[in-house]
Amino acid sequence: QDVALATVPDGYGVVVIGHVFATLSGTYVSRVLDVLDTAKANGVDVICCLQGHLHYDYFPTTTGGIPIITTNSDKRASWINTDGYNREPWQTLRTKGTITEQCFDVHFINRTNRTITTIRIGAPITEILSKSDPADGDTTYTADTPKEEQVINY
């Protein structure tokens, strides 16, 4: 709430964790993000928002520049192409019984350099860069090269 953000002690940073703040289609939970952008504009060190929901890696920012870090699902389409599931070309192939079967992130915040380094354990980070929804309904995605680490400035 606005009240909680107004009472953040000097020298502290804020990380907000929730199920969903933003989607690839550009839909945002605007009330929450507006409150965070306002707090940041008023001097609160809002470092980032961490979310899930989307089942892919995505790193948008709020209008005020706060990173929204989206973590892929730990079990996104596991064992794809062996059980008939038609995965998207940009999705990392998950192989049962290997490190790629799962994924989770560890985030390191460097407040001096104002960076957030995300280290992926398991399936690599495959950031979705853009989405196209043409009139024919054939949605296409553009993804970055899979990697084990992502560094974001805040």
Side-chain angles (χ1 to χ4, degrees):
Q1 283 195 13
D2 304 26
V3 175
L5 289 169
T7 62
V8 174
D10 288 343
Y12 281 74
V14 175
V15 174
V16 180
I17 303 169
H19 181 77
V20 61
F21 298 105
T23 67
L24 193 58
S25 64
T27 304
Y28 293 86
V29 182
S30 60
R31 174 69 180 126
V32 172
L33 300 182
D34 289 347
V35 167
L36 295 175
D37 282 340
T38 299
K40 180 179 176 182
N42 290 327
V44 176
D45 187 13
V46 181
I47 296 168
C48 68
C49 298
L50 300 175
Q51 74 170 16
H53 180 73
L54 301 178
H55 295 247
Y56 47 75
D57 301 305
Y58 182 48
F59 304 95
T61 59
T62 67
T63 55
I66 300 168
I68 302 171
I69 300 172
T70 309
T71 297
N72 199 335
S73 172
D74 184 49
K75 293 290 279 184
R76 172 67 172 137
S78 288
W79 321 306
I80 40 188
N81 293 343
T82 60
D83 62 0
Y85 183 83
N86 185 18
R87 73 181 176 97
E88 296 288 344
W90 47 265
Q91 289 175 323
T92 300
L93 180 63
R94 303 291 186 89
T95 305
K96 186 175 180 178
T98 71
I99 190 68
T100 65
E101 179 177 359
Q102 299 176 328
C103 71
F104 66 93
D105 295 337
V106 179
H107 304 284
F108 298 91
I109 298 168
N110 183 323
R111 294 189 64 211
T112 301
N113 295 333
R114 302 203 54 86
T115 58
I116 305 161
T117 301
T118 299
I119 303 293
R120 169 64 52 81
I121 299 171
I125 297 169
T126 307
E127 178 184 2
I128 299 303
L129 303 173
S130 66
K131 175 183 175 183
S132 173
D133 283 318
D136 65 6
D138 188 20
T139 302
T140 58
Y141 297 85
T142 303
D144 198 1
T145 304
K147 55 191 167 235
E148 302 300 320
E149 177 179 311
Q150 174 85 11
V151 179
I152 297 171
N153 293 311
Y154 74 95

